[in-house]
Amino acid sequence: MFKPIVKATLLSAVSFYSLNAFAQNADSDQSVVTYGQDYFEKFAPVTLLDMLQRVPGVQAILDANRQTGGTQRGGQQERGFGSGGDQILINNKRLSGKANNINSTLQRISSSQVERVEIIRGASGDLDVQSQGLVVNVIMDESGSSSSTFWKIGGRLSEGYIFTPNVQISHNGSNGNLDYMFGVEAKQGQHIEHRDDTIFTPDDVETGIAERRLDRQNKYVRLNANITYTPENGDEIRLNGQFEPGSLKIREPRFSQTTGEERAFQQWNEDADTQKWEFGGDYTKRIDGIGSWKTLFIANRDRSDKLDLYENIIDGDGVPSFRNDQYRVKSEKIIRTSLTTNIFKDQSLEIGAEAAINKFDKIFVSEDYDLGAYTVSINDDVAVKENRYEIFANHTYNISSSMVLQSSLIGEFSKISSVTVPLVGENIERSKKFSFLKPRVDFRYDFSNSDQLRLTVEKKVSQLDFQNFVASYDQSNDLLRLGNTGIVPEKSWNYNIAYEHRFPNDAGAIQVELFYRDLTDYIELVDFTEFEDELGNPIARGDLDLISKSGNIPTARSYGIKTTGSIRLGFIGLRNAVISVDHTWDDTEVEDQFSGVLRPFKWKSEHEITFNFRHDITDWGISYGGRGTIKTDNSRHELDQVANSYNGDNYEAFLEKRILGDMRLIFQFEHITPLKYATHVDFYNDHIRYNDLNRYEKRNWNYVREWSVYLQGTF
């Protein structure tokens, strides 16, 4: 029923867009739409985040940043800066930070310090990043001195559990040529997850049940600062830093019961201490007659010390079964410098280089408990160092007022060295060198002020996730996953064509994008089982040592269509109301390394729909709305099991009320349904190639409802 409603809404908007009167100032460049302070006045925003939430199409970018934490690739934060990056910029530039990223900055900037917000579609040589689709560029007001203090207090209540508080305060302002922001946040978070399992024989006879009740609590204190200094000569110096100590505690009581037998009780405990710090900055200098020179740098460190303990509960007391001790430190040092110049009237060229030194050290020790003492079963000690260098050239050609061609070529050169200290025997040392050329071509053509075509061809090379180098324990599936230092980066050719139409009077926009990805050395679980001995003789099935680890699959592919739309609902009487809908159809295919069948990517849904709705009733000082996500089924394939999951729909809602002047009371409701998903897992007696089914399990997850309440304001 959801799709017909969305379709009807879109068609209605096309028919009635002329009833909307939300015209904005259009830049001379047809690809830029500008929202000035006059547009935001009626919403009485407190922070920059409040402003961006009122701009059509931007909420999807905010949600993506919230889920990934900024610049990420495949769930792992990208090392180095690179030419891509955040879709939200400040004064044409991205922040020179990773942990202290644009996401955490938005709610620390006062709305009074913002001059305008620009929505840029497609390629532009003036931006600090190359991005496909929308880019949000925030231009700050640099007229005079001002300051303000933002505060936020509240927390979250999980149904049936404790209240977790959150306190935040930040001060920002300007004094002459100096702009500054200082902030502190203390937060306690909680995640509750209930899981019920039912076990069956291959003949559908129930043989047992199991239950888990996970309670995950994390605490942290975050201190951050941003300083910008602009000398009279027009140069700009920006510095930022962040320090974040924290802790994590997981308590997961369990029980399992075989039909006709007594229940057995267990307890999973996890305790971790973490500490992160980061310092970064950038310097921009205008050179008369040449152009601008930019340099960015960053140094950071992330440490985690974690202990896992699995206990059997006997007569109310915990008896250890095994424990995992993990200590991990990763650090990064980056410097990136470039020179941008106008080589002809309508052409600009940026040339530069980047160097990044990355270190990753992790010790994983697993110990079994027997006869009153622990015995080491696995000791995986791996130290990794990556030296990576890039040289790049970005060329922008403004062919006409309606056509822009942007091309780039990046040469990447790296060396990854690793040292593995095994439980017995000599250290294992590996060193690999990589070199890649990564071209990119982006073409933008504006048919009119409302219609734009974008074509992009790009070669991408993934960065290795060093977590895959070291053994780890999968607590959800009770599996020990071995490390593999032999993985090579994943390569892909990406082809995109997108068409966007903007409705007149800023009534909304709709975009259709077709994409195709041709991947080589795709990274996923790979079979490392030896089926023959050194002489080439088959190994008996009962003597096989079954091993699966992260590795490379020769080829894979992905193609699909992404449709996005945002529409103002003034034509049905809801002034200042916007609904946005995104639908992605992504057909993925890779050869399963265990069974040989062609299947989708791990945990990849073929269809995903997200929607956002927001309505501001400015006369009453009230805002309300919600968001939702709908996904189709996905799967996970391993050496001796196959899991198929239904990802239950996820819905959230919010209500905001302006009180006592400029203060804002915010209510948020998460997991309204509440979120549920179910997994069917087939377990085989040994390798899946023998098709010898042992049992299957039906697992049901349930996330409890959560309510948040916050009071925020400025002074």
Side-chain angles (χ1 to χ4, degrees):
M1 187 175 73
F2 180 73
K3 289 184 179 179
I5 293 176
V6 174
K7 183 176 180 181
T9 303
L10 291 173
L11 293 175
S12 299
V14 174
S15 302
F16 295 98
Y17 63 77
S18 59
L19 298 178
N20 292 273
F22 296 93
Q24 302 306 316
N25 299 323
D27 193 277
S28 57
D29 185 345
Q30 299 177 86
S31 66
V32 179
V33 179
T34 301
Y35 297 83
Q37 276 283 359
D38 55 338
Y39 169 79
F40 297 103
E41 284 180 359
K42 56 182 174 291
F43 303 116
V46 176
T47 67
L48 172 57
L49 179 62
D50 295 333
M51 300 173 74
L52 295 182
Q53 288 174 333
R54 270 74 176 189
V55 179
V58 175
Q59 187 62 52
I61 299 175
L62 297 174
D63 290 345
N65 276 7
R66 181 183 67 163
Q67 293 170 6
T68 63
T71 304
Q72 295 207 352
R73 184 177 291 175
Q76 174 210 355
Q77 190 170 53
E78 187 174 344
R79 298 187 295 276
F81 286 116
S83 298
D86 294 318
Q87 290 178 268
I88 302 177
L89 308 177
I90 296 179
N91 290 336
N92 299 328
K93 300 180 180 68
R94 54 182 163 180
L95 286 184
S96 53
K98 292 293 194 68
N100 190 16
N101 58 20
I102 188 66
N103 230 34
S104 60
T105 302
L106 296 178
Q107 58 183 335
R108 301 203 308 267
I109 297 179
S110 171
S111 59
S112 62
Q113 294 183 294
V114 178
E115 177 182 320
R116 66 183 186 274
V117 174
E118 298 176 342
I119 305 300
I120 303 173
R121 305 148 62 219
S124 174
D126 299 327
L127 301 180
D128 214 16
V129 298
Q130 296 179 355
S131 185
Q132 192 173 318
L134 289 182
V135 174
V136 181
N137 188 29
V138 180
I139 304 300
M140 305 300 293
D141 186 359
E142 299 178 357
S143 59
S145 301
S146 63
S147 66
S148 65
T149 300
F150 167 78
W151 57 269
K152 182 178 180 180
I153 185 171
R156 172 186 292 177
L157 177 64
S158 300
E159 186 177 24
Y161 291 83
I162 65 173
F163 179 80
T164 55
N166 182 9
V167 178
Q168 182 179 354
I169 185 169
S170 62
H171 181 75
N172 61 77
S174 60
N175 188 355
N177 297 333
L178 182 68
D179 297 321
Y180 54 87
M181 286 189 296
F182 303 97
V184 58
E185 180 181 12
K187 183 175 182 178
Q188 178 176 331
Q190 186 174 38
H191 171 73
I192 307 299
E193 181 179 308
H194 294 171
R195 174 177 144 187
D196 301 299
D197 302 346
T198 308
I199 302 96
F200 298 87
T201 69
D203 298 323
D204 303 323
V205 177
E206 182 178 325
T207 61
I209 58 174
E211 187 177 285
R212 304 183 182 191
R213 295 291 181 262
L214 182 143
D215 182 358
R216 176 190 178 106
Q217 296 182 32
N218 66 289
K219 301 178 183 179
Y220 66 80
V221 176
R222 179 181 295 160
L223 307 170
N224 43 47
N226 300 80
I227 299 175
T228 302
Y229 177 66
T230 307
E232 298 298 336
N233 62 4
D235 295 353
E236 185 176 78
I237 303 170
R238 301 191 302 174
L239 299 174
N240 68 83
Q242 181 163 296
F243 178 67
E244 182 182 321
S247 64
L248 169 68
K249 182 175 73 172
I250 294 179
R251 297 295 180 263
E252 187 182 72
R254 308 177 178 184
F255 82 76
S256 57
Q257 183 179 25
T258 301
T259 302
E261 298 182 6
E262 295 289 331
R263 288 190 175 188
F265 294 89
Q266 304 87 26
Q267 173 83 20
W268 173 268
N269 299 322
E270 185 174 312
D271 294 276
D273 290 317
T274 61
Q275 185 187 91
K276 303 176 184 178
W277 64 262
E278 177 179 277
F279 179 70
D282 62 79
Y283 174 58
T284 302
K285 182 176 180 59
R286 300 285 180 181
I287 304 176
D288 293 339
I290 298 179
S292 63
W293 170 53
K294 296 179 292 186
T295 297
L296 296 85
F297 71 90
I298 196 172
N300 59 39
R301 186 175 187 268
D302 183 348
R303 174 187 62 80
S304 174
D305 190 356
K306 182 170 68 170
L307 179 65
D308 304 329
L309 175 62
Y310 188 90
E311 297 177 309
N312 291 310
I313 308 299
I314 301 175
D315 296 330
D317 296 325
V319 178
S321 176
F322 68 89
R323 67 183 181 188
N324 301 321
D325 194 352
Q326 305 178 57
Y327 181 80
R328 187 264 300 150
V329 176
K330 59 180 180 180
S331 63
E332 186 175 30
K333 296 177 181 177
I334 319 164
I335 185 168
R336 180 183 178 89
T337 185
S338 67
L339 177 67
T340 302
T341 183
N342 292 322
I343 52 177
F344 297 105
K345 179 181 179 181
D346 298 318
Q347 299 183 50
S348 64
L349 178 67
E350 179 188 22
I351 56 174
E354 176 176 307
I357 310 299
N358 302 283
K359 293 183 179 180
F360 179 92
D361 300 320
K362 182 176 178 181
I363 301 173
F364 178 89
V365 180
S366 183
E367 298 175 299
D368 294 326
Y369 187 84
D370 189 26
L371 300 177
Y374 283 103
T375 304
V376 176
S377 58
I378 293 178
N379 183 89
D380 204 0
D381 183 350
V382 178
V384 184
K385 182 179 181 181
E386 177 190 49
N387 294 343
R388 187 178 54 79
Y389 308 95
E390 281 187 0
I391 54 174
F392 57 90
N394 302 318
H395 176 253
T396 302
Y397 180 20
N398 294 286
I399 302 172
S400 67
S401 61
S402 60
M403 286 191 289
V404 177
L405 177 65
Q406 191 173 63
S407 58
S408 65
L409 182 63
I410 300 173
E412 179 182 316
F413 313 91
S414 64
K415 178 181 178 181
I416 299 179
S417 304
S418 64
V419 178
T420 303
V421 182
L423 185 59
V424 294
E426 297 182 353
N427 293 353
I428 302 172
E429 298 186 18
R430 276 187 172 172
S431 181
K432 293 176 290 186
K433 293 184 178 180
F434 302 100
S435 59
F436 305 104
L437 283 179
K438 300 184 292 185
R440 183 180 193 270
V441 177
D442 188 287
F443 175 73
R444 189 199 85 206
Y445 176 56
D446 294 314
F447 294 98
S448 65
N449 290 339
S450 303
D451 300 278
Q452 183 181 88
L453 178 71
R454 294 192 291 270
L455 303 173
T456 304
V457 178
E458 179 180 14
K459 182 180 181 180
K460 292 185 177 182
V461 179
S462 75
Q463 295 183 356
L464 295 176
D465 186 350
F466 295 145
Q467 294 280 3
N468 290 329
F469 283 35
V470 195
S472 62
Y473 190 80
D474 181 350
Q475 170 256 336
S476 179
N477 294 292
D478 292 326
L479 289 174
L480 180 65
R481 302 192 181 277
L482 300 179
N484 179 18
T485 58
I487 304 177
V488 300
E490 179 181 296
K491 280 77 70 177
S492 68
W493 277 98
N494 297 262
Y495 307 90
N496 297 74
I497 177 170
Y499 174 77
E500 181 189 38
H501 174 74
R502 285 203 331 242
F503 303 137
N505 302 320
D506 195 40
I510 186 169
Q511 175 182 294
V512 178
E513 175 186 346
L514 284 72
F515 60 88
Y516 180 84
R517 291 185 296 154
D518 186 11
L519 300 99
T520 57
D521 293 321
Y522 178 70
I523 298 175
E524 215 184 274
L525 285 178
V526 172
D527 194 355
F528 282 82
T529 304
E530 297 287 346
F531 293 95
E532 297 179 347
D533 60 22
E534 296 178 353
L535 300 177
N537 299 315
I539 299 175
R541 176 179 172 183
D543 297 330
L544 291 175
D545 185 13
L546 303 180
I547 300 174
S548 67
K549 297 184 286 187
S550 292
N552 295 103
I553 302 176
T555 60
R557 63 105 179 118
S558 166
Y559 64 84
I561 301 174
K562 183 176 183 180
T563 306
T564 62
S566 60
I567 298 175
R568 295 189 183 274
L569 302 181
F571 62 90
I572 59 173
L574 297 178
R575 295 186 66 251
N576 300 319
V578 177
I579 184 171
S580 302
V581 181
D582 295 357
H583 171 249
T584 301
W585 168 59
D586 190 356
D587 189 305
T588 60
E589 185 178 86
V590 66
E591 182 179 351
D592 184 64
Q593 298 299 285
F594 309 112
S595 63
V597 302
L598 295 176
R599 59 167 177 81
F601 294 172
K602 180 180 180 180
W603 293 141
K604 181 64 178 178
S605 297
E606 185 174 1
H607 293 273
E608 180 174 348
I609 299 174
T610 60
F611 67 88
N612 284 278
F613 171 74
R614 183 182 188 94
H615 184 201
D616 294 288
I617 308 176
T618 55
D619 294 340
W620 297 353
I622 290 177
S623 302
Y624 70 93
R627 63 174 62 94
T629 302
I630 303 171
K631 295 182 180 181
T632 54
D633 298 354
N634 53 48
S635 61
R636 167 179 59 87
H637 293 243
E638 303 210 20
L639 185 147
D640 60 349
Q641 58 183 270
V642 176
N644 292 282
S645 289
Y646 164 72
N647 294 277
D649 307 338
N650 184 22
Y651 302 103
E652 303 176 14
F654 72 89
L655 173 66
E656 301 178 5
K657 177 69 172 74
R658 194 166 63 247
I659 62 173
L660 303 177
D662 292 333
M663 286 195 295
R664 194 179 299 272
L665 184 62
I666 304 171
F667 297 95
Q668 296 175 344
F669 311 92
E670 301 178 45
H671 304 157
I672 296 175
T673 39
L675 175 64
K676 297 180 180 179
Y677 64 95
T679 301
H680 177 107
V681 189
D682 288 328
F683 290 89
Y684 294 83
N685 282 309
D686 44 19
H687 201 285
I688 195 173
R689 63 157 57 183
Y690 300 113
N691 198 29
D692 186 9
L693 186 63
N694 174 275
R695 69 187 188 281
Y696 70 87
E697 295 182 7
K698 291 184 178 180
R699 299 175 177 176
N700 292 284
W701 277 264
N702 180 8
Y703 295 169
V704 303
R705 294 182 179 89
E706 296 174 339
W707 299 271
S708 299
V709 58
Y710 296 98
L711 184 64
Q712 68 177 37
T714 59
F715 58 84

